Amino acid sequence: MQRIHCGIVPPHLLTRLAALQDPRLSGASSAARHALLELDPVLRERSEALRAPVRRGSAIAGSLTRRIHDAGGREELPGEVVRAEGAPATGDVAADEAYDGLGSTYRLFSEEYGRSSIDGAGKRLDATVHYGSNYDNAFWDGERMVFGDGDGEIFGRFTASLTVISHELTHGFTQYSTNLEYQGQSGALNESLSDVFGVLVEQRDLGQDAASAAWLVGAGIFTPSVRGEALRSLKAPGTAYDDDVLGKDPQPATMADYVETTSDNGGVHINSGIPNHAFYLAATALGGEAWTGVGRVWYDAVLSGTIPPDCDFPTFAQATQDAAGRRFGVDSREAGAVAEAWTRVGVLR
Amino acid sequence: MRIEITRSGGFGGITRTWSLEVSRTEAEQRWLPLAEAEAGAATDARRADAGRADATGPLVDRAQTASGAGPGEAAAPASRTPERGPGQQRDRFTYRISIGYTEVTVSEGRLDESWRELIERARAEGTDGAGHGPP
């Protein structure tokens, strides 16, 4: 009754095999790529992105293509195009913030990690602003980022923080790489990757090192009536806000405070505090530009082919340790800082 | 009869609760049948998901199997479809709606006009229980 495309080899293993560069295993690698081709068009893109040579810097400059739409206060997508790539500023703050934020996010992945857009193949970046009326959210719908204007009482417009824009676009990167399932620990890792690369985009734009960065997600989107500086803090999960109406930031920083819940897809926006804090600890232990050190390690881990869609925290932690060892050496400061960070948050012993 | 609406998820992950009182007649004629229909649809979707999960894992469009087609028929076209639609949505809200002892969970993308009206009423008229983290 069911179609089983690739026998017993799970897709994540096929993806890993497809990415192998070892000439002695070229047969297996080629077979895996062939199997992926039959499996799913997105997996196919993923497999091609993995074996593509890494392109760097100016070699891919100019392939950034953005398109900003305006939903005009309705909950309908995509809305009307208000700014295409290269067009001058519209004068609409949200549309221009979205345009600029997509550019900043694209440049981190392109200029630092050599990736051409979220899919590794130059995909156009689409966003819609002014979605809905008093709409208190920003989301990724599988193809585009969508931003509400907020209700004006608790939330202002969601494009006001670059980290919100970069967070949403990173959901696209995750969709085209590990495709972490949006439930439980894998869902919290999906969220955490968006927070981590979200803050790295901002730190790189501002030229902040790990010690001077704010490590906040969504700073500036609350109205002044809310007691809180942001939605999440990687530096101190659980402290971003404490307000009469909203309650207190529920994020844990360590496994000792892991929250079991059926809400929020099993707490994907809550337990993300744990891998978020591990990243912060490793980045600040090393110092300097977080996007070139631990950020590079996290990026390598995501593309290593060792992260299954249902990845749990320990598996992800091991993947980052392995990635740090490959890039910087197993006895490097980087590998040590990553291992120490995961131990301190209680994920590894 | 008391109706309580809890919204979780969203970019902020902030849980909020609103409630309102409706007459027993309104609840029985309007909202309870809607909740039961929703619970049935959710079960169908879960069955379809479970059937397909063995074949291709989560890498296909969940929307296609929620239409009531059996898992076998649904799996074939879905498996060639790029992963788009509700299954790939991130940072959206989830609503849990309790009507008396009946409880139903509806994702934001599946809310129809009736549920939207109820939520609007609860937000406008009802009390806002502060979201002190997840329940």
Side-chain angles (χ1 to χ4, degrees):
Chain A
M1 184 166 81
Q2 271 113 33
R3 290 156 54 97
I4 298 176
H5 298 269
C6 297
I8 57 166
V9 183
H12 69 268
L13 201 52
L14 288 174
T15 310
R16 182 179 184 172
L17 290 171
L20 289 174
Q21 305 287 350
D22 189 332
R24 289 166 301 176
L25 296 170
S26 63
S29 183
S30 157
R33 282 197 295 274
H34 187 73
L36 282 167
L37 278 167
E38 293 188 332
L39 184 66
D40 181 294
V42 172
L43 275 177
R44 178 175 64 208
E45 287 177 33
R46 212 170 280 155
S47 116
E48 285 168 0
L50 282 167
R51 78 193 153 101
V54 173
R55 290 159 291 188
R56 287 185 185 283
S58 58
I60 51 168
S63 56
L64 167 60
T65 313
R66 290 164 282 188
R67 188 174 289 180
I68 312 298
H69 293 74
D70 186 334
R74 290 181 297 278
E75 293 195 17
E76 287 167 20
L77 293 173
E80 292 184 15
V81 178
V82 289
R83 191 170 178 191
E85 186 62 41
T90 63
D92 179 295
V93 176
D96 292 332
E97 283 171 339
Y99 184 89
D100 293 343
L102 297 189
S104 295
T105 308
Y106 180 93
R107 283 189 290 275
L108 172 77
F109 283 99
S110 156
E111 292 170 11
E112 298 296 337
Y113 310 137
R115 186 176 181 86
S116 176
S117 192
I118 54 176
D119 63 345
K123 182 180 173 64
R124 188 181 73 209
L125 305 177
D126 287 331
T128 293
V129 296
H130 302 308
Y131 178 82
S133 171
N134 296 322
Y135 189 72
D136 268 347
N137 202 15
F139 64 90
W140 167 258
D141 87 335
E143 293 183 58
R144 63 175 49 248
M145 290 133 282
V146 182
F147 302 97
D149 292 324
D151 55 49
E153 291 173 7
I154 292 169
F155 288 105
R157 64 178 193 282
F158 278 73
T159 50
S161 171
L162 172 56
T163 56
V164 176
I165 300 167
S166 46
H167 174 107
E168 295 310 332
L169 193 43
T170 304
H171 278 308
F173 165 61
T174 299
Q175 177 176 319
Y176 283 97
S177 52
T178 53
N179 201 36
L180 287 160
E181 287 167 17
Y182 209 54
Q183 184 70 39
Q185 289 199 6
S186 60
L189 287 167
N190 190 322
E191 271 303 310
S192 177
L193 288 173
S194 277
D195 282 351
V196 161
F197 289 106
V199 298
L200 292 180
V201 167
E202 185 180 75
Q203 289 175 18
R204 184 170 181 268
D205 254 28
L206 297 174
Q208 293 176 326
D209 65 7
S212 61
W215 297 98
L216 295 172
V217 176
I221 65 168
F222 283 137
T223 63
S225 66
V226 174
R227 281 188 53 191
E229 49 182 355
L231 282 164
R232 288 185 282 280
S233 168
L234 282 71
K235 181 177 185 174
T239 68
Y241 59 89
D242 188 355
D243 180 80
D244 289 344
V245 174
L246 297 179
K248 186 179 179 302
D249 174 3
Q251 282 213 312
T254 70
M255 288 303 288
D257 296 317
Y258 186 91
V259 177
E260 292 285 357
T261 175
T262 55
S263 293
D264 182 32
N265 294 91
V268 297
H269 292 89
I270 296 167
N271 293 313
S272 54
I274 296 166
N276 276 359
H277 194 54
F279 183 90
Y280 164 83
L281 289 172
T284 49
L286 286 172
E289 297 173 341
W291 60 92
T292 58
V294 187
R296 178 80 223 194
V297 169
W298 252 236
Y299 178 84
D300 285 352
V302 165
L303 289 195
S304 67
T306 60
I307 300 196
D310 63 348
C311 192
D312 60 9
F313 288 178
T315 304
F316 185 82
Q318 189 60 51
T320 60
Q321 271 195 282
D322 294 346
R326 279 195 304 274
R327 181 158 296 271
F328 295 105
V330 287
D331 297 321
S332 62
R333 281 180 69 229
E334 287 82 358
V338 168
E340 167 74 11
W342 286 114
T343 306
R344 281 181 63 188
V345 301
V347 169
L348 297 180
R349 290 173 197 282
Chain B
M1 189 177 274
R2 185 179 164 84
I3 297 183
E4 189 172 276
I5 297 170
T6 300
R7 187 186 77 186
S8 69
F11 176 84
I14 294 172
T15 299
R16 300 194 70 185
T17 301
W18 299 278
S19 58
L20 78 165
E21 284 289 333
V22 301
S23 69
R24 175 164 291 276
T25 311
E26 183 189 340
E28 286 176 350
Q29 292 186 350
R30 187 139 189 233
W31 303 115
L32 282 168
L34 204 58
E36 278 152 19
E38 185 63 47
T43 306
D44 288 347
R46 268 200 305 279
R47 279 202 196 111
D49 270 0
R52 206 203 41 244
D54 297 334
T56 53
L59 300 166
V60 280
D61 188 349
R62 283 166 198 276
Q64 302 219 354
T65 53
S67 60
E73 303 94 291
S79 63
R80 286 192 291 272
T81 307
E83 41 195 307
R84 294 208 173 89
Q88 284 295 338
Q89 298 203 342
R90 303 292 180 251
D91 294 327
R92 299 216 80 175
F93 293 124
T94 300
Y95 288 88
R96 192 173 63 219
I97 303 168
S98 305
I99 305 160
Y101 292 106
T102 303
E103 187 176 288
V104 64
T105 300
V106 191
S107 60
E108 183 187 0
R110 283 175 54 84
L111 289 175
D112 65 14
E113 280 307 312
S114 301
W115 286 133
R116 287 174 181 274
E117 177 200 322
L118 184 69
I119 292 164
E120 283 305 310
R121 271 173 62 188
R123 290 186 69 165
E125 304 168 18
T127 50
D128 186 355
H132 291 291

